[in-house]
Amino acid sequence: MNINTDQKKIDEVLSRGVEEVIERESLEKKLKSGKQLRIKLGIDPTSPHVHIGRSVPLFKLKDFQELGHKIVLIIGDFTGVIGDTSDKDSERPMLSENTVKENLKNYIEQVKKIIDIEKCEVHYNSKWLAKLDYHEIGRQADAFSLNEFISRENIKKRLDTGKRISLRELLYPLMQGYDSVAIRADVEIGGTDQRFNLLAGRELQRQYNQEPQDIITNPLIEGLDGRKMSSSWGNSINLFDSANEMFGKIMSLKDEFIIKYFILTTRVSMSDIEKYQKELSGGNNPKDYKMKLAFEMVRFYHSLDDAEKANEYFINTFSKKETPEVIPEIKPSNYDIITVMVESGFSPSKSEARRLIEHKGVKVNEVIIDDFKKVLKKDDIIQKGKRFFVKVI
């Protein structure tokens, strides 16, 4: 495969959506050499949904793929059970193997919306992590001190407030680091919250006499409520959201995140984004740019036709305050309101569905409900917030 060594292209790959490059000089030299590099990204299936926050490193993988490099996707079927605590302010519980297996069902189908999966290496890290014995784990652990682990910001904060930290949490960086050894990564991509784990990969590669990987960290993006995007908080835009739901969610985004979303979650040209930024600073209506953003994202994840229909649906339903003529339908496994909320995608979990009802965010046939046990009948129309409708059949 031909490797693109164009300096302008390399500069954009190393700057757009990039917070930090560790050993930039080394990486730039490799990218100019014409050698095909192995670019690694690991994702733990802690939820069945891949959300837009995950698209940030996936787009960076795509950038490297378009330069001609070999991208390597690690699906953390083993690490997903153990649980990464990098971005958590309390202990992350272990998931069952069955939960992780269930979450994995549509993972590749979602990821392939961004990267060319046919040209990508895909590995499941249970293949090598499940085989390690205490002797090997001891060898890996010897590369790190306890002080290095507890000096991390979120861990130090938990220690200072007396929150429990399990020994299991100390092992996670070893596992992610060993993934880099197993696939001989030249570069690893990850969020800023992953910095310690990414550096662990460099240390372990040295332990195994490999050249240490270079690192690219990307910024994290905020969800619909302004907090970090997280499936567990129900503030995410998911790659498998329907066109209308995706469009509507983006339109509810806070104005201050419009440009950040354009840069990190699309591949609209930077010259166009700079133009939008200038126009917004000049006082133009942010809603117009959110419409552009929503249209672009629905076009990318669905189709141009879907984007045009979602745009029209939004204008008719919300700008003109009309009830939509076409409402998605669902035949649920049970007709209680909680099941319908979860199976329609209105809520990522039963507890989140209860919270929405409690906060008067759900209507049935235009009437706000507060009964968690309400049983629906055929042709009932459920509305979440102002934008989302579904009809029970």
Side-chain angles (χ1 to χ4, degrees):
M1 180 180 282
N2 292 328
I3 306 298
N4 189 336
T5 58
D6 179 70
Q7 185 63 53
K8 189 176 178 184
K9 278 287 189 186
I10 290 172
D11 288 343
E12 182 165 347
V13 168
L14 296 184
S15 60
R16 181 170 186 168
V18 172
E19 187 75 19
E20 182 182 16
V21 180
I22 295 177
E23 302 300 342
R24 183 184 177 113
E25 193 177 325
S26 158
L27 179 52
E28 202 161 342
K29 186 177 178 182
K30 289 173 190 172
L31 290 170
K32 287 179 185 175
S33 73
K35 175 191 171 188
Q36 187 180 57
L37 304 180
R38 294 175 62 75
I39 318 294
K40 170 200 170 193
L41 172 67
I43 302 181
D44 285 350
T46 51
S47 160
H49 304 294
V50 177
H51 60 61
I52 295 295
R54 302 272 204 188
S55 77
V56 181
L58 283 167
F59 267 115
K60 189 53 59 182
L61 268 194
K62 179 182 173 70
D63 292 341
F64 276 107
Q65 191 172 47
E66 289 175 353
L67 286 180
H69 297 288
K70 174 59 72 175
I71 62 173
V72 185
L73 181 67
I74 309 289
I75 305 291
D77 61 332
F78 192 94
T79 42
V81 171
I82 302 301
D84 182 13
T85 191
S86 297
D87 62 341
K88 302 300 176 190
D89 58 10
S90 60
E91 185 177 352
R92 188 172 204 156
M94 287 183 73
L95 295 178
S96 72
E97 289 183 24
N98 284 340
T99 298
V100 170
K101 190 176 179 181
E102 197 64 28
N103 289 347
L104 274 172
K105 280 185 175 176
N106 292 310
Y107 239 64
I108 295 298
E109 286 302 309
Q110 294 175 78
V111 166
K112 71 194 287 190
K113 282 180 170 281
I114 298 175
I115 59 174
D116 184 345
I117 208 74
E118 301 302 321
K119 296 178 182 176
C120 172
E121 269 186 38
V122 179
H123 297 280
Y124 294 83
N125 62 13
S126 61
K127 181 181 176 182
W128 48 79
L129 292 178
K131 296 175 182 175
L132 295 179
D133 58 23
Y134 267 114
H135 180 273
E136 197 68 23
I137 293 167
R139 177 188 175 190
Q140 294 172 14
D142 199 43
F144 306 93
S145 71
L146 181 61
N147 188 57
E148 285 173 307
F149 181 81
I150 64 176
S151 61
R152 297 163 66 188
E153 185 181 354
N154 71 316
I155 299 297
K156 186 177 185 303
K157 196 181 293 183
R158 284 167 60 188
L159 282 171
D160 291 345
T161 55
K163 290 183 178 177
R164 182 179 187 269
I165 296 170
S166 69
L167 288 174
R168 164 175 56 90
E169 295 176 75
L170 276 68
L171 298 176
Y172 189 94
L174 302 184
M175 297 177 195
Q176 183 170 329
Y178 189 69
D179 286 350
S180 294
V181 173
I183 61 104
R184 304 188 75 89
D186 293 305
V187 182
E188 183 170 10
I189 299 167
T192 51
D193 58 336
Q194 293 285 306
R195 193 176 190 275
F196 185 87
N197 297 345
L198 301 171
L199 289 169
R202 287 172 62 84
E203 284 305 312
L204 286 182
Q205 283 179 311
R206 289 189 183 100
Q207 284 271 77
Y208 287 86
N209 299 313
Q210 293 181 15
E211 185 179 349
Q213 64 188 13
D214 295 314
I215 292 168
I216 292 178
T217 64
N218 57 258
L220 307 179
I221 65 167
E222 292 79 5
L224 301 176
D225 58 2
R227 296 182 294 172
K228 178 197 162 189
M229 188 173 287
S230 168
S231 296
S232 58
W233 286 338
N235 66 353
S236 61
I237 303 165
N238 302 316
L239 271 55
F240 265 17
D241 282 343
S242 69
N244 287 344
E245 186 170 16
M246 185 178 284
F247 199 104
K249 282 182 177 181
I250 295 162
M251 291 306 297
S252 71
L253 192 67
K254 294 185 177 181
D255 294 348
E256 68 231 56
F257 301 135
I258 295 171
I259 296 300
K260 185 174 184 179
Y261 263 63
F262 264 118
I263 294 170
L264 298 181
T265 70
T266 79
R267 280 305 178 260
V268 170
S269 72
M270 287 303 297
S271 58
D272 281 346
I273 295 171
E274 286 161 12
K275 177 173 166 279
Y276 298 159
Q277 190 164 24
K278 197 176 292 184
E279 290 168 351
L280 280 165
S281 300
N284 284 17
N285 189 346
K287 182 184 174 185
D288 296 335
Y289 297 87
K290 264 193 275 194
M291 295 282 281
K292 289 178 188 288
L293 175 64
F295 189 94
E296 171 58 26
M297 290 180 72
V298 173
R299 183 201 64 75
F300 183 84
Y301 289 108
H302 293 275
S303 70
L304 177 60
D305 185 51
D306 286 328
E308 289 170 346
K309 286 177 180 174
N311 184 75
E312 185 179 355
Y313 175 89
F314 182 85
I315 291 169
N316 290 337
T317 307
F318 310 112
S319 298
K320 296 181 180 177
K321 308 291 185 189
E322 295 176 7
T323 302
E325 289 181 13
V326 180
I327 296 175
E329 297 179 341
I330 181 175
K331 188 170 185 178
S333 59
N334 271 302
Y335 281 77
D336 64 282
I337 185 64
I338 298 297
T339 298
V340 172
M341 290 285 289
V342 172
E343 292 184 1
S344 65
F346 281 1
S347 172
S349 65
K350 291 183 178 181
S351 58
E352 178 63 17
R354 291 189 189 94
R355 189 190 69 77
L356 285 166
I357 293 169
E358 192 176 88
H359 286 81
K360 303 187 185 304
V362 180
K363 291 181 181 179
V364 175
N365 301 327
E366 299 186 356
V367 177
I368 294 172
I369 63 160
D370 57 11
D371 180 6
F372 299 150
K373 296 181 180 179
K374 182 174 179 63
V375 177
L376 304 169
K377 58 185 183 298
K378 289 182 179 181
D379 295 329
D380 279 348
I381 293 175
I382 296 84
Q383 180 181 351
K384 184 184 84 166
K386 296 178 180 178
R387 291 175 295 281
F388 307 119
F389 298 81
V390 71
K391 182 179 180 180
V392 175
I393 61 171

